[in-house]
Short mmCIF file of all heavy atoms in Angstrom, two decimals:
data_model
loop_
_atom_site.label_atom_id
_atom_site.label_comp_id
_atom_site.label_asym_id
_atom_site.label_seq_id
_atom_site.Cartn_x
_atom_site.Cartn_y
_atom_site.Cartn_z
N ASN A 74 -47.74 120.55 112.07
CA ASN A 74 -46.69 120.69 113.03
C ASN A 74 -46.41 122.19 113.42
O ASN A 74 -46.39 122.62 114.59
CB ASN A 74 -45.32 120.14 112.52
CG ASN A 74 -44.34 119.98 113.64
OD1 ASN A 74 -44.66 119.61 114.75
ND2 ASN A 74 -43.15 120.21 113.27
N PRO A 75 -46.28 123.12 112.41
CA PRO A 75 -46.09 124.54 112.80
C PRO A 75 -47.39 125.20 113.43
O PRO A 75 -47.21 126.28 114.05
CB PRO A 75 -45.66 125.17 111.43
CG PRO A 75 -46.22 124.31 110.41
CD PRO A 75 -46.16 122.90 110.91
N MET A 76 -48.56 124.68 113.08
CA MET A 76 -49.79 125.21 113.68
C MET A 76 -49.89 125.01 115.12
O MET A 76 -50.65 125.70 115.78
CB MET A 76 -50.99 124.57 112.97
CG MET A 76 -51.02 124.76 111.44
SD MET A 76 -52.57 124.04 110.78
CE MET A 76 -52.25 124.19 108.97
N LEU A 77 -49.14 124.14 115.70
CA LEU A 77 -49.23 123.83 117.12
C LEU A 77 -48.46 124.74 117.99
O LEU A 77 -48.67 124.81 119.20
CB LEU A 77 -48.76 122.34 117.41
CG LEU A 77 -49.63 121.21 116.79
CD1 LEU A 77 -48.89 119.86 117.11
CD2 LEU A 77 -50.98 121.25 117.42
N VAL A 78 -47.58 125.55 117.34
CA VAL A 78 -46.71 126.45 118.17
C VAL A 78 -47.58 127.36 119.05
O VAL A 78 -47.27 127.56 120.25
CB VAL A 78 -45.78 127.22 117.26
CG1 VAL A 78 -44.92 128.21 118.10
CG2 VAL A 78 -44.88 126.26 116.50
N THR A 79 -48.56 128.00 118.49
CA THR A 79 -49.40 128.94 119.17
C THR A 79 -50.11 128.37 120.33
O THR A 79 -50.14 128.89 121.43
CB THR A 79 -50.47 129.61 118.20
OG1 THR A 79 -49.75 130.20 117.09
CG2 THR A 79 -51.22 130.68 118.89
N TYR A 80 -50.65 127.09 120.12
CA TYR A 80 -51.47 126.46 121.19
C TYR A 80 -50.46 125.94 122.31
O TYR A 80 -50.81 126.08 123.40
CB TYR A 80 -52.23 125.25 120.59
CG TYR A 80 -53.20 125.64 119.51
CD1 TYR A 80 -52.92 125.54 118.18
CD2 TYR A 80 -54.45 126.17 119.88
CE1 TYR A 80 -53.84 125.92 117.17
CE2 TYR A 80 -55.42 126.51 118.90
CZ TYR A 80 -55.08 126.34 117.61
OH TYR A 80 -56.00 126.68 116.62
N LEU A 81 -49.34 125.37 121.85
CA LEU A 81 -48.43 124.83 122.88
C LEU A 81 -47.84 125.98 123.77
O LEU A 81 -47.63 125.81 124.98
CB LEU A 81 -47.36 123.99 122.22
CG LEU A 81 -47.80 122.73 121.54
CD1 LEU A 81 -46.63 122.14 120.83
CD2 LEU A 81 -48.35 121.80 122.55
N GLU A 82 -47.47 127.07 123.08
CA GLU A 82 -46.88 128.18 123.95
C GLU A 82 -47.85 128.78 124.87
O GLU A 82 -47.47 129.28 125.91
CB GLU A 82 -46.35 129.20 123.02
CG GLU A 82 -45.24 128.79 122.14
CD GLU A 82 -43.96 128.51 122.95
OE1 GLU A 82 -43.84 128.97 124.10
OE2 GLU A 82 -43.08 127.71 122.41
N ALA A 83 -49.15 128.70 124.56
CA ALA A 83 -50.14 129.18 125.46
C ALA A 83 -50.62 128.29 126.54
O ALA A 83 -51.40 128.61 127.41
CB ALA A 83 -51.39 129.68 124.64
N SER A 84 -50.13 126.93 126.49
CA SER A 84 -50.44 126.07 127.55
C SER A 84 -49.88 126.36 128.85
O SER A 84 -48.81 126.90 128.95
CB SER A 84 -50.10 124.66 127.08
OG SER A 84 -48.62 124.55 126.90
N ARG A 85 -50.58 126.12 129.93
CA ARG A 85 -50.17 126.44 131.19
C ARG A 85 -49.46 125.41 132.05
O ARG A 85 -48.68 125.68 132.89
CB ARG A 85 -51.39 126.97 132.08
CG ARG A 85 -52.03 128.25 131.53
CD ARG A 85 -53.42 128.50 132.17
NE ARG A 85 -54.35 127.44 131.68
CZ ARG A 85 -55.59 127.40 132.06
NH1 ARG A 85 -56.07 128.38 132.85
NH2 ARG A 85 -56.45 126.48 131.64
N ASP A 86 -49.87 124.08 131.78
CA ASP A 86 -49.23 123.10 132.60
C ASP A 86 -49.07 121.82 131.64
O ASP A 86 -49.44 121.82 130.45
CB ASP A 86 -50.08 122.69 133.81
CG ASP A 86 -51.49 122.37 133.50
OD1 ASP A 86 -51.86 122.30 132.27
OD2 ASP A 86 -52.31 122.38 134.37
N LEU A 87 -48.54 120.71 132.23
CA LEU A 87 -48.32 119.49 131.51
C LEU A 87 -49.53 118.83 130.98
O LEU A 87 -49.64 118.28 129.89
CB LEU A 87 -47.50 118.59 132.32
CG LEU A 87 -46.70 117.46 131.63
CD1 LEU A 87 -45.83 117.94 130.48
CD2 LEU A 87 -45.97 116.59 132.66
N CYS A 88 -50.61 118.90 131.79
CA CYS A 88 -51.87 118.28 131.34
C CYS A 88 -52.52 118.99 130.18
O CYS A 88 -53.04 118.39 129.26
CB CYS A 88 -52.88 118.32 132.58
SG CYS A 88 -52.42 117.28 133.86
N GLU A 89 -52.46 120.30 130.15
CA GLU A 89 -52.93 121.00 128.99
C GLU A 89 -52.10 120.81 127.74
O GLU A 89 -52.62 120.71 126.67
CB GLU A 89 -53.00 122.59 129.31
CG GLU A 89 -53.77 123.33 128.34
CD GLU A 89 -53.98 124.77 128.74
OE1 GLU A 89 -53.61 125.16 129.97
OE2 GLU A 89 -54.48 125.56 127.99
N THR A 90 -50.78 120.71 127.94
CA THR A 90 -49.91 120.38 126.73
C THR A 90 -50.20 118.97 126.24
O THR A 90 -50.31 118.87 124.97
CB THR A 90 -48.43 120.41 127.15
OG1 THR A 90 -48.16 121.67 127.70
CG2 THR A 90 -47.58 120.12 126.06
N ASP A 91 -50.49 118.07 127.11
CA ASP A 91 -50.87 116.71 126.65
C ASP A 91 -52.22 116.69 125.93
O ASP A 91 -52.40 116.08 124.86
CB ASP A 91 -50.97 115.81 127.82
CG ASP A 91 -51.42 114.37 127.56
OD1 ASP A 91 -50.55 113.62 127.06
OD2 ASP A 91 -52.55 114.02 127.67
N SER A 92 -53.19 117.49 126.34
CA SER A 92 -54.55 117.62 125.71
C SER A 92 -54.32 118.25 124.29
O SER A 92 -55.09 117.78 123.33
CB SER A 92 -55.53 118.32 126.59
OG SER A 92 -55.12 119.66 126.67
N ILE A 93 -53.53 119.15 124.19
CA ILE A 93 -53.28 119.82 122.82
C ILE A 93 -52.65 118.75 121.91
O ILE A 93 -53.11 118.64 120.73
CB ILE A 93 -52.41 121.02 123.00
CG1 ILE A 93 -53.18 122.09 123.75
CG2 ILE A 93 -52.02 121.58 121.64
CD1 ILE A 93 -52.27 123.38 124.10
N LEU A 94 -51.64 118.01 122.30
CA LEU A 94 -51.08 117.01 121.50
C LEU A 94 -52.08 115.89 121.17
O LEU A 94 -52.09 115.42 119.95
CB LEU A 94 -49.86 116.40 122.17
CG LEU A 94 -48.74 117.40 122.42
CD1 LEU A 94 -47.59 116.67 123.22
CD2 LEU A 94 -48.14 117.78 121.10
N PHE A 95 -52.88 115.54 122.04
CA PHE A 95 -53.93 114.54 121.72
C PHE A 95 -54.88 115.07 120.69
O PHE A 95 -55.32 114.36 119.78
CB PHE A 95 -54.63 114.10 123.03
CG PHE A 95 -55.66 112.91 122.81
CD1 PHE A 95 -55.10 111.67 122.90
CD2 PHE A 95 -56.93 113.12 122.41
CE1 PHE A 95 -56.01 110.52 122.66
CE2 PHE A 95 -57.75 112.09 122.16
CZ PHE A 95 -57.27 110.81 122.36
N GLY A 96 -55.34 116.38 120.90
CA GLY A 96 -56.22 117.00 119.85
C GLY A 96 -55.58 117.09 118.61
O GLY A 96 -56.24 116.91 117.48
N ALA A 97 -54.27 117.31 118.43
CA ALA A 97 -53.59 117.30 117.12
C ALA A 97 -53.57 115.94 116.50
O ALA A 97 -53.81 115.81 115.26
CB ALA A 97 -52.18 117.87 117.28
N ALA A 98 -53.29 114.96 117.36
CA ALA A 98 -53.32 113.56 116.72
C ALA A 98 -54.76 113.16 116.31
O ALA A 98 -54.89 112.46 115.26
CB ALA A 98 -52.86 112.56 117.88
N LEU A 99 -55.74 113.56 116.97
CA LEU A 99 -57.10 113.38 116.55
C LEU A 99 -57.52 114.05 115.31
O LEU A 99 -58.16 113.54 114.48
CB LEU A 99 -58.14 113.74 117.74
CG LEU A 99 -59.52 113.51 117.50
CD1 LEU A 99 -59.83 111.99 117.32
CD2 LEU A 99 -60.36 114.10 118.65
N ALA A 100 -56.93 115.29 115.14
CA ALA A 100 -57.16 116.07 113.94
C ALA A 100 -56.49 115.37 112.75
O ALA A 100 -57.10 115.29 111.68
CB ALA A 100 -56.64 117.49 114.08
N VAL A 101 -55.27 114.82 112.94
CA VAL A 101 -54.68 114.10 111.86
C VAL A 101 -55.46 112.82 111.41
O VAL A 101 -55.69 112.62 110.25
CB VAL A 101 -53.24 113.67 112.24
CG1 VAL A 101 -52.57 112.73 111.23
CG2 VAL A 101 -52.35 114.91 112.48
N CYS A 102 -55.97 112.18 112.38
CA CYS A 102 -56.75 110.96 112.02
C CYS A 102 -58.10 111.42 111.31
O CYS A 102 -58.49 110.62 110.33
CB CYS A 102 -57.09 110.21 113.29
SG CYS A 102 -55.74 109.54 114.20
N ARG A 103 -58.70 112.49 111.66
CA ARG A 103 -59.87 112.88 110.89
C ARG A 103 -59.52 113.39 109.52
O ARG A 103 -60.37 113.23 108.51
CB ARG A 103 -60.53 114.02 111.77
CG ARG A 103 -61.18 113.52 113.05
CD ARG A 103 -61.82 114.60 113.88
NE ARG A 103 -62.46 114.14 115.08
CZ ARG A 103 -63.01 114.78 116.01
NH1 ARG A 103 -63.01 116.17 115.86
NH2 ARG A 103 -63.64 114.33 117.02
N ILE A 104 -58.45 114.04 109.32
CA ILE A 104 -58.09 114.62 108.01
C ILE A 104 -57.81 113.53 107.04
O ILE A 104 -58.25 113.47 105.93
CB ILE A 104 -56.93 115.56 108.08
CG1 ILE A 104 -57.31 116.83 108.93
CG2 ILE A 104 -56.33 115.96 106.75
CD1 ILE A 104 -56.11 117.74 109.16
N ILE A 105 -57.10 112.45 107.47
CA ILE A 105 -56.64 111.30 106.61
C ILE A 105 -57.77 110.29 106.46
O ILE A 105 -57.71 109.43 105.69
CB ILE A 105 -55.44 110.67 107.09
CG1 ILE A 105 -55.60 109.92 108.47
CG2 ILE A 105 -54.26 111.67 107.16
CD1 ILE A 105 -54.33 109.25 108.97
N GLY A 106 -58.84 110.50 107.29
CA GLY A 106 -59.95 109.55 107.17
C GLY A 106 -59.77 108.24 107.86
O GLY A 106 -60.44 107.28 107.61
N ALA A 107 -58.91 108.19 108.91
CA ALA A 107 -58.69 107.02 109.75
C ALA A 107 -59.91 106.81 110.64
O ALA A 107 -60.54 107.79 111.10
CB ALA A 107 -57.48 107.14 110.55
N LYS A 108 -60.23 105.50 110.88
CA LYS A 108 -61.40 105.26 111.71
C LYS A 108 -61.06 105.40 113.17
O LYS A 108 -60.11 104.74 113.71
CB LYS A 108 -61.76 103.80 111.52
CG LYS A 108 -63.08 103.37 112.23
CD LYS A 108 -63.51 101.96 111.82
CE LYS A 108 -64.76 101.54 112.59
NZ LYS A 108 -65.13 100.16 112.30
N VAL A 109 -61.78 106.28 113.78
CA VAL A 109 -61.51 106.59 115.25
C VAL A 109 -62.75 106.04 115.98
O VAL A 109 -63.93 106.35 115.65
CB VAL A 109 -61.38 108.09 115.44
CG1 VAL A 109 -61.17 108.42 116.93
CG2 VAL A 109 -60.19 108.65 114.70
N SER A 110 -62.45 105.31 117.10
CA SER A 110 -63.53 104.70 117.92
C SER A 110 -64.21 105.90 118.71
O SER A 110 -63.49 106.58 119.41
CB SER A 110 -62.97 103.68 118.90
OG SER A 110 -64.02 103.25 119.65
N THR A 111 -65.54 106.03 118.59
CA THR A 111 -66.22 107.12 119.25
C THR A 111 -66.46 106.74 120.68
O THR A 111 -66.61 107.63 121.60
CB THR A 111 -67.51 107.41 118.56
OG1 THR A 111 -68.32 106.16 118.49
CG2 THR A 111 -67.29 107.86 117.12
N ALA A 112 -66.46 105.38 121.07
CA ALA A 112 -66.71 105.05 122.45
C ALA A 112 -65.44 105.30 123.22
O ALA A 112 -64.36 105.28 122.69
CB ALA A 112 -67.11 103.59 122.50
#
Side-chain angles (χ1 to χ4, degrees):
N74 194 38
M76 301 180 187
L77 293 176
V78 176
T79 306
Y80 300 98
L81 292 174
E82 293 296 337
S84 61
R85 294 166 294 181
D86 52 12
L87 196 55
C88 291
E89 190 172 353
T90 304
D91 178 81
S92 66
I93 293 173
L94 293 175
F95 187 91
L99 182 61
V101 172
C102 295
R103 290 177 177 176
I104 292 172
I105 66 177
K108 185 177 180 181
V109 180
S110 176
T111 56

